[in-house]
Amino acid sequence: MALVQSFLNNTLIQELELRKPITTIGRNSNNDIHVNYSAVSGVHARIIQENNQFIIEDNNSTNGTYVNGKRVTRQILTDKDIITTCKKHQLNFIMDASSISKDSFSFSSPPSTNVESQSNLEIPDEGSTMLFDPAKMGELLHDQKLEAELHKGEKFAWVLVSGGNMTNEHFQLSQSDLKIGKAADAHISTYTWFSWFEPKISAVIHYQNNGYFIIPKRGVKSKVEVNRKLIKEATKLSNADHIKIRNVELTFYISVKPYENVI
C-alpha cells in the first residue's frame, strides 16, 4: 500500500495510506490531505490511482504543483518522490508503506531535499496570493503574543496527571521522549488488569522544532484524544490541552516559569 507523509514548516502534520481511487490535497477542510496554509489552493491537487500507478495532477492551483523541484500538471509518481505545493508544504510519496517499521511512530523529519534547501526551485513567492481569514486574526495574534513571550527566555513544559493510578503526579518535559503506556519502562503507566490487548507504548510526547507533539503509535488501535478529539497522527500541543489515553488523563502546560512557581 502506497503512503504519503505531509509536512508543513518541516513538521509532520498527516500520514495517509492511498486507498482511494482519488486523493485530494488542499486548504479546504474536506480534502483527504488537509493543508491549513493560505498559499495552498482550496483543492490544490489530487493523486489518482490508475493501473497500479499513482499520478499527481495539479488542479489549476495558484502556486502550482512540483515534483522533485519541477513544476508539473500531471506526472506518474515513483518511490520517494517529493511533492511541493508551496515553499512551506511538501508531501513525501512512499510506494510501499510496509517498508516503514511497524514499531515506529507516525512522526519523522522530512528528507534534506526539502523545498527550502532547493536553490533551483521555480516556486513563485506565495506572499502575493496569501488569503487571511479576519475571523481568525484574534486567535493568530494571541498565539503570536504567547510565542513571543516564550521566546524571551527558557521555556518550561510539563504534564499533570489527573486520572489513572498516578493521579496528581507531574512530569517535567525535556527534549527526551515521554512514553505513555503499559510497558514497564513507560514514564506514565496506563496498565490495568484489563489492558492485555493494549500496546506497550500507546503514545509519546516528543519535542521538535521548538514545540511539543503527542504522537500515537502507528499500526495499533491506540485511543489517544486531545481536547476530546481522537487523533491518529502527530499533534502539536498548546498550553492547557487535555489529553486522554485509555484510563489516564493529562493536562499539558507550557510557561516561562517552572512548575513549582506556577502550580
Side-chain angles (χ1 to χ4, degrees), residues 205-216:
I205 295 179
H206 175 87
Y207 178 87
Q208 181 160 324
N209 294 339
N210 207 38
Y212 289 91
F213 295 78
I214 185 160
I215 309 163

Side-chain angles (χ1 to χ4, degrees), residues 78-92:
T78 59
D79 189 39
K80 298 181 181 179
D81 274 349
I82 296 176
I83 305 161
T84 50
T85 57
C86 68
K87 288 184 178 180
K88 300 293 184 181
H89 177 252
Q90 76 176 50
L91 294 165
N92 298 344

Side-chain angles (χ1 to χ4, degrees), residues 61-246:
S61 63
T62 301
N63 284 323
T65 301
Y66 296 73
V67 176
N68 302 327
K70 181 180 179 181
R71 187 163 185 165
V72 300
T73 55
R74 182 180 168 94
Q75 180 168 313
I76 296 173
L77 294 171
T78 59
D79 189 39
K80 298 181 181 179
D81 274 349
I82 296 176
I83 305 161
T84 50
T85 57
C86 68
K87 288 184 178 180
K88 300 293 184 181
H89 177 252
Q90 76 176 50
L91 294 165
N92 298 344
F93 175 77
I94 301 166
M95 181 62 78
D96 183 9
S98 65
S99 64
I100 300 178
S101 171
K102 297 285 185 184
D103 294 326
S104 66
F105 290 88
S106 57
F107 190 102
S108 59
S109 298
S112 58
T113 55
N114 58 57
V115 176
E116 298 293 346
S117 64
Q118 292 280 346
S119 59
N120 60 343
L121 285 181
E122 300 173 354
I123 300 177
D125 180 8
E126 69 264 33
S128 60
T129 63
M130 284 188 175
L131 301 174
F132 291 97
D133 183 355
K136 295 183 178 180
M137 188 58 69
E139 179 182 350
L140 176 63
L141 291 174
H142 176 270
D143 291 344
Q144 289 176 339
K145 183 178 179 180
L146 175 61
E147 192 66 22
E149 180 184 355
L150 293 173
H151 275 294
K152 290 179 181 178
E154 184 179 3
K155 285 191 296 186
F156 298 90
W158 64 92
V159 290
L160 183 65
V161 184
S162 57
N165 57 11
M166 304 179 77
T167 297
N168 294 328
E169 290 194 38
H170 85 277
F171 294 82
Q172 193 83 34
L173 300 175
S174 65
Q175 294 190 15
S176 299
D177 288 350
L178 182 82
K179 300 177 183 178
I180 307 166
K182 70 175 184 180
D185 64 340
H187 299 93
I188 299 177
S189 175
T190 61
Y191 179 80
T192 62
W193 65 270
F194 53 83
S195 60
W196 180 261
F197 295 105
E198 294 181 16
K200 290 184 177 180
I201 299 296
S202 295
V204 299
I205 295 179
H206 175 87
Y207 178 87
Q208 181 160 324
N209 294 339
N210 207 38
Y212 289 91
F213 295 78
I214 185 160
I215 309 163
K217 185 77 177 290
R218 285 189 67 242
V220 296
K221 295 181 180 179
S222 298
K223 294 183 178 179
V224 181
E225 297 180 12
V226 176
N227 300 326
R228 297 185 179 182
K229 182 179 179 181
L230 192 68
I231 64 167
K232 295 183 179 180
E233 61 261 338
T235 300
K236 189 172 185 179
L237 295 171
S238 299
N239 187 50
D241 273 352
H242 179 263
I243 303 163
K244 185 175 181 181
I245 303 174
R246 303 290 179 175

